[in-house]
Amino acid sequence: LVERFDHRMKSILSTHRYGKARVRVMKVVRTPGLHQVFDVNARVLLSGAALTETYKTGDNAMVVATDTIKNTCYIVAEKSSFKSIEEYAIFLGEHFLNTYSHVEQVAVNLDQYAWERLVVSGKPHEHSFKRDPEVHIASVTMSRASSGPKIDYLESGLKGLVVLKTTGSGFEKFWRDSYTTLPDTTDRIFATSVTAKWTYTNPSQGKQIDFDQAFQSVRTSVLEVFALEYSRSVQETLYHAGDMALARAPQMESVWISLPNKHHFTFDLSRFEKCGVKNTNTVFQPSEDPSGLIEGTISRP
Protein backbone atom coordinates (compact mmCIF):
# COMPACT_ATOMS: atom_id res chain seq x y z
CA LEU A 1 0.00 0.00 0.00
CA VAL A 2 1.12 3.56 -0.68
CA GLU A 3 1.77 5.81 2.31
CA ARG A 4 -0.56 8.41 0.82
CA PHE A 5 -1.56 9.73 -2.57
CA ASP A 6 0.07 12.88 -3.85
CA HIS A 7 -2.93 15.19 -3.69
CA ARG A 8 -2.83 18.09 -6.12
CA MET A 9 -5.45 20.17 -4.31
CA LYS A 10 -4.89 21.58 -0.81
CA SER A 11 -8.51 21.53 0.35
CA ILE A 12 -9.90 22.83 3.63
CA LEU A 13 -11.58 20.76 6.33
CA SER A 14 -14.61 23.03 6.69
CA THR A 15 -16.44 21.14 9.45
CA HIS A 16 -15.80 18.02 11.41
CA ARG A 17 -17.13 15.97 14.29
CA TYR A 18 -17.02 12.32 15.26
CA GLY A 19 -18.25 10.06 18.01
CA LYS A 20 -20.45 7.10 18.79
CA ALA A 21 -24.02 6.48 17.68
CA ARG A 22 -26.69 3.93 18.52
CA VAL A 23 -25.46 3.45 22.08
CA ARG A 24 -28.28 1.68 23.89
CA VAL A 25 -28.42 2.51 27.60
CA MET A 26 -31.01 1.27 30.07
CA LYS A 27 -31.03 2.80 33.54
CA VAL A 28 -33.34 1.56 36.27
CA VAL A 29 -34.13 3.96 39.11
CA ARG A 30 -35.09 1.63 41.94
CA THR A 31 -37.31 3.95 43.93
CA PRO A 32 -38.91 1.83 46.68
CA GLY A 33 -42.39 0.83 45.62
CA LEU A 34 -42.23 2.30 42.09
CA HIS A 35 -39.26 1.66 39.81
CA GLN A 36 -38.57 3.96 36.84
CA VAL A 37 -36.76 3.10 33.60
CA PHE A 38 -34.78 5.22 31.13
CA ASP A 39 -34.34 3.27 27.88
CA VAL A 40 -32.13 5.45 25.70
CA ASN A 41 -30.50 5.38 22.27
CA ALA A 42 -27.59 7.83 22.46
CA ARG A 43 -25.41 9.64 19.93
CA VAL A 44 -22.45 11.70 21.15
CA LEU A 45 -20.24 13.69 18.74
CA LEU A 46 -17.07 15.62 19.59
CA SER A 47 -15.29 18.43 17.74
CA GLY A 48 -12.37 20.81 18.25
CA ALA A 49 -9.38 22.27 16.47
CA ALA A 50 -7.00 19.75 18.05
CA LEU A 51 -9.01 16.92 16.51
CA THR A 52 -8.35 18.02 12.91
CA GLU A 53 -4.94 16.33 12.73
CA THR A 54 -6.41 12.86 12.51
CA TYR A 55 -8.29 13.95 9.38
CA LYS A 56 -5.28 15.60 7.75
CA THR A 57 -2.34 13.40 8.79
CA GLY A 58 -3.80 10.36 10.54
CA ASP A 59 -2.26 11.44 13.84
CA ASN A 60 -4.60 10.00 16.49
CA ALA A 61 -2.83 11.41 19.56
CA MET A 62 -5.75 13.67 20.52
CA VAL A 63 -8.55 11.34 19.47
CA VAL A 64 -10.84 10.12 22.23
CA ALA A 65 -11.71 6.65 20.94
CA THR A 66 -15.35 6.13 20.02
CA ASP A 67 -15.27 3.04 22.25
CA THR A 68 -14.33 5.33 25.14
CA ILE A 69 -17.27 7.57 24.25
CA LYS A 70 -19.53 4.52 24.35
CA ASN A 71 -18.23 3.43 27.76
CA THR A 72 -18.69 6.97 29.09
CA CYS A 73 -22.41 6.88 28.26
CA TYR A 74 -22.84 3.98 30.68
CA ILE A 75 -20.52 5.37 33.38
CA VAL A 76 -22.20 8.79 33.43
CA ALA A 77 -25.61 7.07 33.57
CA GLU A 78 -24.43 5.13 36.63
CA LYS A 79 -22.81 8.08 38.43
CA SER A 80 -25.45 10.72 37.70
CA SER A 81 -28.88 11.24 39.20
CA PHE A 82 -31.28 12.63 36.59
CA LYS A 83 -35.05 12.96 36.21
CA SER A 84 -35.11 13.45 32.43
CA ILE A 85 -33.07 12.58 29.36
CA GLU A 86 -32.32 16.30 28.91
CA GLU A 87 -30.52 16.27 32.25
CA TYR A 88 -28.66 13.10 31.23
CA ALA A 89 -27.57 14.79 27.98
CA ILE A 90 -26.25 17.81 29.91
CA PHE A 91 -24.32 15.54 32.28
CA LEU A 92 -22.71 13.87 29.26
CA GLY A 93 -21.76 17.20 27.69
CA GLU A 94 -20.28 18.47 30.94
CA HIS A 95 -18.22 15.30 31.36
CA PHE A 96 -16.54 15.46 27.96
CA LEU A 97 -15.77 19.18 28.21
CA ASN A 98 -14.47 18.91 31.77
CA THR A 99 -12.42 15.77 31.09
CA TYR A 100 -10.83 16.58 27.73
CA SER A 101 -9.46 20.12 27.52
CA HIS A 102 -8.92 19.84 23.74
CA VAL A 103 -12.59 19.03 23.03
CA GLU A 104 -14.33 22.28 22.19
CA GLN A 105 -17.90 21.18 21.46
CA VAL A 106 -20.11 18.21 22.31
CA ALA A 107 -23.39 17.37 20.57
CA VAL A 108 -25.64 14.86 22.34
CA ASN A 109 -28.80 13.41 20.80
CA LEU A 110 -30.96 11.03 22.80
CA ASP A 111 -34.03 8.98 21.93
CA GLN A 112 -35.93 7.63 24.94
CA TYR A 113 -38.23 4.70 24.27
CA ALA A 114 -41.42 4.81 26.29
CA TRP A 115 -42.33 2.03 28.71
CA GLU A 116 -45.83 2.27 30.13
CA ARG A 117 -46.29 0.94 33.63
CA LEU A 118 -48.60 -2.08 33.85
CA VAL A 119 -51.77 -1.77 35.88
CA VAL A 120 -52.54 -5.04 37.67
CA SER A 121 -55.73 -5.51 39.67
CA GLY A 122 -56.38 -1.79 39.33
CA LYS A 123 -53.01 -0.77 40.77
CA PRO A 124 -49.80 0.46 39.08
CA HIS A 125 -47.26 -2.35 39.21
CA GLU A 126 -43.96 -1.65 40.94
CA HIS A 127 -41.57 -2.98 38.31
CA SER A 128 -43.48 -4.21 35.22
CA PHE A 129 -43.96 -2.26 31.98
CA LYS A 130 -45.07 -2.61 28.36
CA ARG A 131 -43.41 -0.91 25.41
CA ASP A 132 -45.12 2.10 23.80
CA PRO A 133 -44.17 3.20 20.25
CA GLU A 134 -43.85 6.83 21.31
CA VAL A 135 -40.32 8.27 21.61
CA HIS A 136 -39.10 11.21 23.72
CA ILE A 137 -36.16 13.01 22.08
CA ALA A 138 -33.56 15.49 23.31
CA SER A 139 -30.76 17.38 21.57
CA VAL A 140 -28.08 19.34 23.45
CA THR A 141 -25.00 21.10 22.07
CA MET A 142 -22.44 22.38 24.58
CA SER A 143 -19.14 24.20 24.25
CA ARG A 144 -16.37 25.59 26.41
CA ALA A 145 -16.55 29.00 28.06
CA SER A 146 -14.29 30.77 30.57
CA SER A 147 -16.75 29.91 33.33
CA GLY A 148 -17.02 26.27 32.27
CA PRO A 149 -19.27 24.24 29.95
CA LYS A 150 -22.13 26.24 28.46
CA ILE A 151 -25.25 25.21 26.58
CA ASP A 152 -25.35 26.50 23.01
CA TYR A 153 -28.51 24.72 21.92
CA LEU A 154 -31.19 22.79 23.78
CA GLU A 155 -34.19 21.11 22.20
CA SER A 156 -36.70 18.53 23.38
CA GLY A 157 -39.33 16.62 21.47
CA LEU A 158 -41.52 13.63 20.86
CA LYS A 159 -42.21 11.43 17.86
CA GLY A 160 -44.30 8.39 17.05
CA LEU A 161 -47.43 9.64 18.85
CA VAL A 162 -50.01 8.01 16.55
CA VAL A 163 -53.59 9.23 16.99
CA LEU A 164 -56.88 8.73 15.14
CA LYS A 165 -60.43 9.98 15.49
CA THR A 166 -63.35 8.63 13.51
CA THR A 167 -65.27 11.90 13.21
CA GLY A 168 -64.98 15.53 14.26
CA SER A 169 -62.88 16.50 11.26
CA GLY A 170 -63.59 18.01 7.85
CA PHE A 171 -61.99 19.80 4.94
CA GLU A 172 -64.05 22.06 2.71
CA LYS A 173 -64.20 25.40 0.84
CA PHE A 174 -60.55 25.10 -0.19
CA TRP A 175 -59.03 26.58 -3.35
CA ARG A 176 -60.27 24.90 -6.51
CA ASP A 177 -58.98 24.94 -10.07
CA SER A 178 -58.99 22.71 -13.13
CA TYR A 179 -56.64 20.20 -11.45
CA THR A 180 -58.75 19.74 -8.30
CA THR A 181 -60.63 16.46 -7.84
CA LEU A 182 -60.91 16.25 -4.04
CA PRO A 183 -64.51 16.70 -2.84
CA ASP A 184 -65.53 18.75 0.19
CA THR A 185 -66.21 16.82 3.38
CA THR A 186 -67.47 17.74 6.83
CA ASP A 187 -67.00 14.27 8.31
CA ARG A 188 -63.80 12.32 7.80
CA ILE A 189 -61.33 10.16 9.69
CA PHE A 190 -58.37 12.16 10.96
CA ALA A 191 -55.22 10.16 11.71
CA THR A 192 -51.63 11.27 12.08
CA SER A 193 -48.28 10.46 13.65
CA VAL A 194 -47.25 13.48 15.70
CA THR A 195 -43.69 14.76 15.79
CA ALA A 196 -42.98 17.84 17.88
CA LYS A 197 -39.79 19.66 18.89
CA TRP A 198 -39.51 22.63 21.20
CA THR A 199 -36.90 25.07 22.44
CA TYR A 200 -36.54 27.00 25.69
CA THR A 201 -36.54 30.71 26.55
CA ASN A 202 -33.47 30.36 28.78
CA PRO A 203 -31.50 27.23 27.88
CA SER A 204 -28.56 28.33 30.01
CA GLN A 205 -30.62 27.32 33.08
CA GLY A 206 -29.82 23.75 32.06
CA LYS A 207 -30.82 21.14 34.61
CA GLN A 208 -32.97 23.68 36.51
CA ILE A 209 -35.54 23.66 33.68
CA ASP A 210 -38.68 21.63 34.33
CA PHE A 211 -38.32 19.39 31.28
CA ASP A 212 -41.04 16.94 32.29
CA GLN A 213 -43.63 19.70 32.65
CA ALA A 214 -42.78 20.99 29.16
CA PHE A 215 -43.05 17.49 27.71
CA GLN A 216 -46.41 16.86 29.37
CA SER A 217 -47.68 20.29 28.27
CA VAL A 218 -46.99 19.57 24.61
CA ARG A 219 -48.29 16.02 24.72
CA THR A 220 -51.46 16.92 26.62
CA SER A 221 -52.17 19.94 24.41
CA VAL A 222 -51.84 17.88 21.24
CA LEU A 223 -54.15 15.17 22.55
CA GLU A 224 -56.77 17.54 23.96
CA VAL A 225 -56.98 19.73 20.86
CA PHE A 226 -57.06 16.66 18.64
CA ALA A 227 -59.83 14.96 20.59
CA LEU A 228 -62.01 17.85 21.71
CA GLU A 229 -61.94 20.39 18.86
CA TYR A 230 -63.66 20.01 15.52
CA SER A 231 -60.85 20.21 12.98
CA ARG A 232 -61.54 22.35 9.91
CA SER A 233 -58.02 21.63 8.71
CA VAL A 234 -54.93 19.84 9.97
CA GLN A 235 -53.26 23.26 9.94
CA GLU A 236 -55.80 24.60 12.42
CA THR A 237 -55.30 21.66 14.76
CA LEU A 238 -51.52 22.08 14.59
CA TYR A 239 -51.63 25.78 15.45
CA HIS A 240 -54.12 25.42 18.29
CA ALA A 241 -52.09 22.59 19.87
CA GLY A 242 -48.85 24.59 19.72
CA ASP A 243 -50.52 27.73 21.05
CA MET A 244 -52.00 25.83 23.99
CA ALA A 245 -48.64 24.19 24.77
CA LEU A 246 -46.86 27.57 24.94
CA ALA A 247 -49.57 28.91 27.24
CA ARG A 248 -49.07 25.98 29.60
CA ALA A 249 -45.27 25.95 29.65
CA PRO A 250 -43.69 29.39 30.18
CA GLN A 251 -40.21 27.87 29.96
CA MET A 252 -40.77 27.07 26.26
CA GLU A 253 -39.80 29.54 23.54
CA SER A 254 -41.25 27.83 20.47
CA VAL A 255 -42.65 24.51 19.31
CA TRP A 256 -42.40 22.92 15.87
CA ILE A 257 -45.05 20.33 14.99
CA SER A 258 -45.29 17.95 12.05
CA LEU A 259 -48.57 16.17 11.24
CA PRO A 260 -48.45 13.79 8.27
CA ASN A 261 -51.98 12.94 7.18
CA LYS A 262 -52.65 9.21 7.41
CA HIS A 263 -55.49 9.14 4.91
CA HIS A 264 -58.52 6.87 5.26
CA PHE A 265 -60.59 7.12 2.10
CA THR A 266 -64.19 5.92 1.94
CA PHE A 267 -64.09 2.70 -0.05
CA ASP A 268 -66.18 2.88 -3.21
CA LEU A 269 -68.88 0.21 -2.94
CA SER A 270 -71.08 1.70 -5.68
CA ARG A 271 -69.96 -1.09 -8.01
CA PHE A 272 -71.68 -3.58 -5.74
CA GLU A 273 -75.05 -1.89 -5.32
CA LYS A 274 -76.64 -4.67 -7.34
CA CYS A 275 -75.61 -6.96 -4.50
CA GLY A 276 -77.43 -4.75 -2.03
CA VAL A 277 -74.19 -3.32 -0.63
CA LYS A 278 -73.90 0.40 0.11
CA ASN A 279 -71.15 2.17 2.02
CA THR A 280 -72.73 3.93 5.01
CA ASN A 281 -69.51 5.79 5.87
CA THR A 282 -68.23 2.87 7.90
CA VAL A 283 -65.73 1.12 5.59
CA PHE A 284 -62.49 2.88 4.66
CA GLN A 285 -59.27 2.17 2.84
CA PRO A 286 -56.15 3.36 4.70
CA SER A 287 -53.61 4.94 2.37
CA GLU A 288 -50.40 6.56 3.58
CA ASP A 289 -48.63 7.06 0.24
CA PRO A 290 -48.78 9.74 -1.00
CA SER A 291 -49.80 11.67 2.08
CA GLY A 292 -50.40 15.24 3.06
CA LEU A 293 -47.71 16.75 5.27
CA ILE A 294 -48.47 19.75 7.45
CA GLU A 295 -45.73 21.44 9.50
CA GLY A 296 -45.42 24.67 11.43
CA THR A 297 -43.53 26.49 14.17
CA ILE A 298 -45.46 28.39 16.85
CA SER A 299 -43.40 30.97 18.74
CA ARG A 300 -43.91 33.54 21.44
CA PRO A 301 -44.54 37.09 20.17
Side-chain angles (χ1 to χ4, degrees):
L1 296 176
V2 297
E3 179 63 22
R4 60 176 51 84
F5 287 107
D6 183 16
H7 298 289
R8 296 182 180 181
M9 181 177 178
K10 296 300 182 181
S11 55
I12 298 172
L13 181 64
S14 301
T15 63
H16 68 92
R17 59 181 185 171
Y18 81 97
K20 205 73 165 182
R22 301 182 64 83
V23 182
R24 292 298 307 275
V25 180
M26 169 71 84
K27 177 166 185 175
V28 179
V29 180
R30 301 185 185 278
T31 305
L34 213 61
H35 292 182
Q36 186 178 5
V37 295
F38 290 92
D39 184 1
V40 176
N41 189 339
R43 186 185 75 175
V44 180
L45 301 176
L46 312 181
S47 60
L51 299 170
T52 61
E53 283 304 308
T54 186
Y55 293 89
K56 297 177 179 179
T57 67
D59 182 350
N60 298 324
M62 304 303 287
V63 176
V64 182
T66 64
D67 190 66
T68 302
I69 296 173
K70 175 206 69 178
N71 294 340
T72 301
C73 292
Y74 295 99
I75 295 169
V76 171
E78 171 62 34
K79 294 174 64 176
S80 304
S81 176
F82 50 86
K83 304 182 295 297
S84 68
I85 58 170
E86 290 87 354
E87 292 181 13
Y88 176 39
I90 294 171
F91 276 122
L92 284 169
E94 289 174 339
H95 171 87
F96 285 104
L97 291 170
N98 288 330
T99 304
Y100 307 103
S101 60
H102 60 288
V103 173
E104 297 174 8
Q105 190 175 75
V106 183
V108 182
N109 293 84
L110 303 178
D111 286 0
Q112 180 185 7
Y113 303 111
W115 289 91
E116 181 183 345
R117 190 177 305 279
L118 293 184
V119 176
V120 180
S121 300
K123 298 180 180 179
H125 197 270
E126 176 186 11
H127 55 258
S128 297
F129 306 83
K130 69 180 181 71
R131 177 71 176 270
D132 189 293
E134 188 179 334
V135 179
H136 180 181
I137 55 182
S139 178
V140 179
T141 301
M142 301 180 66
S143 63
R144 191 178 308 284
S146 57
S147 58
K150 68 182 181 71
I151 297 174
D152 298 319
Y153 184 75
L154 176 57
E155 181 182 80
S156 303
L158 61 86
K159 60 183 178 180
L161 176 59
V162 181
V163 291
L164 176 149
K165 62 178 178 180
T166 55
T167 190
S169 173
F171 187 58
E172 59 178 334
K173 301 177 182 178
F174 47 88
W175 186 281
R176 290 189 173 276
D177 56 36
S178 58
Y179 292 170
T180 304
T181 58
L182 186 70
D184 284 356
T185 181
T186 58
D187 188 9
R188 64 173 181 172
I189 288 178
F190 181 7
T192 187
S193 179
V194 181
T195 301
K197 298 178 182 179
W198 53 93
T199 58
Y200 298 91
T201 54
N202 192 0
S204 61
Q205 289 183 326
K207 295 188 286 285
Q208 298 177 12
I209 297 172
D210 192 341
F211 295 109
D212 184 64
Q213 194 272 341
F215 178 86
Q216 295 301 332
S217 293
V218 174
R219 190 176 188 278
T220 300
S221 297
V222 168
L223 295 178
E224 287 184 356
V225 170
F226 181 83
L228 300 178
E229 288 191 3
Y230 176 81
S231 175
R232 286 179 286 263
S233 67
V234 179
Q235 289 88 334
E236 180 188 41
T237 299
L238 181 154
Y239 174 76
H240 285 182
D243 184 62
M244 181 180 290
L246 290 179
R248 286 174 163 169
Q251 68 271 42
M252 287 169 46
E253 174 67 23
S254 66
V255 55
W256 171 87
I257 302 175
S258 176
L259 301 178
N261 206 336
K262 293 180 172 291
H263 298 293
H264 291 71
F265 297 113
T266 304
F267 188 74
D268 183 10
L269 292 176
S270 61
R271 296 165 292 172
F272 307 99
E273 288 183 355
K274 61 183 180 182
C275 302
V277 179
K278 184 178 180 181
N279 197 335
T280 57
N281 199 30
T282 58
V283 178
F284 302 87
Q285 183 177 18
S287 177
E288 297 187 21
D289 300 314
S291 69
L293 179 59
I294 292 83
E295 297 181 340
T297 301
I298 299 90
S299 304
R300 296 193 182 280

